[in-house]
């Protein structure tokens, strides 16, 4: 079976590992319109802190929605509202593209990445945050979290002059670039999988001049905290939960 080489800055793992269709999770939140975007909203209504989650290219998978609920309700000492907007407007990357083992699938996947480049989405975020604040006026502090493709969106958003976030994190980010760490002014966490290039992760950490947490979950695949997580496997489930605990601890310190 052929595989797709790294493309559009994504790692080979990102381009070839298919998502896992998880069934049976009952979301704790609801879907609402915020700033013109369908948004998964979860968490206590009176929370004064919020986390904006940028999903991976597969959109609203159960594992990703469950992760949002963990962030919203997993810390006994902090209350968070979590917002996960649908940047793809109901058209995420079809799981049928994975694995991209034919030229047709590779072409389709490349077209998808071309339609949703991270800089484009990052440019929408500040206006979305304005809408979020209008939706939930009690929110005074914000953090941002991105998975895979969304990790690049986070990196670009929080280093821009328009950054509205107090803390940020990425989990198994695609396109890890040490240059994105330069000039960051807010605390940043990076949770890498065993599929990210260790040298890229190391250089990224070396360039961080802000409070940070960088950790590699070496026996986990790219996507283990989002759509590619097979939570039927005990070790994956344990590291999925540990990843979210790590993020909650980080946000608890810096948000």
């Amino acid at each position: 079976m052929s595989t797709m080489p790294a493309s559009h800055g994504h790692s080979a793992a990102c381009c070839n590992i298919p998502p896992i269709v998880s069934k049976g999770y009952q979301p704790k939140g609801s879907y609402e319109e915020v700033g013109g975007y369908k948004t998964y909203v979860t968490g206590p209504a009176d929370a004064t802190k919020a986390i904006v989650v940028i999903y991976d290219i597969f959109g609203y998978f159960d594992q990703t929605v469950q992760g949002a609920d963990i962030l919203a309700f997993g810390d006994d000492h902090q209350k968070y509202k979590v917002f996960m907007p649908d940047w793809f407007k109901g058209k995420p990357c079809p799981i049928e593209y994975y694995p991209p083992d034919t030229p047709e699938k590779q072409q389709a996947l490349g077209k998808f990445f071309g339609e949703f480049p991270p800089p484009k989405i990052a440019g929408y975020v500040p206006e979305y945050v304005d809408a979020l604040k209008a939706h939930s006026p009690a929110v005074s502090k914000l953090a941002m979290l991105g998975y895979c493709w969304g990790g690049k969106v986070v990196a670009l958003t929080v280093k821009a002059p328009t950054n509205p976030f107090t803390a940020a994190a990425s989990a198994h980010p695609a396109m890890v670039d040490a240059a994105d760490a330069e000039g960051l002014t807010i605390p940043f966490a990076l949770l890498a999988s065993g599929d990210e290039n260790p040298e890229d992760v190391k250089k990224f950490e070396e360039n961080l001049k802000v409070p940070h947490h960088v950790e590699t979950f070496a026996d986990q695949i790219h996507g283990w905290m989002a759509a590619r997580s097979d939570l039927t496997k005990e070790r994956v489930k344990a590291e999925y939960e540990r990843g979210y605990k790590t993020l909650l601890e980080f946000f608890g310190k810096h948000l």
Side-chain angles (χ1 to χ4, degrees), residues 157-175:
T157 299
V158 300
K159 69 178 297 185
T162 53
N163 169 47
F165 297 96
T166 301
S170 60
H172 37 78
M175 300 169 275

Side-chain angles (χ1 to χ4, degrees), residues 190-251:
L190 190 159
L191 305 187
S193 75
D195 287 324
E196 277 72 69
N197 185 310
E199 192 61 28
D200 290 343
V201 173
K202 179 183 177 183
K203 289 178 179 177
F204 187 94
E205 181 175 17
E206 289 173 347
N207 279 359
L208 287 170
K209 308 303 180 188
V210 293
H212 61 271
H213 180 89
V214 176
E215 181 177 356
T216 297
F217 289 61
D219 65 348
Q220 295 304 301
I221 65 167
H222 178 83
W224 97 94
M225 289 182 65
R228 292 171 165 106
S229 186
D230 186 350
L231 297 178
T232 64
K233 295 182 178 179
E234 185 176 344
R235 176 63 179 172
V236 175
K237 184 173 184 290
E239 290 296 81
Y240 173 93
E241 292 173 350
R242 187 169 74 85
Y244 281 102
K245 180 181 178 182
T246 301
L247 291 175
L248 283 171
E249 289 175 349
F250 181 79
F251 289 140

Side-chain angles (χ1 to χ4, degrees), residues 96-108:
E96 291 79 19
Y97 291 179
Y98 278 78
D101 49 11
T102 68
E104 291 77 18
K105 288 182 181 180
Q106 293 177 15
Q107 183 178 15

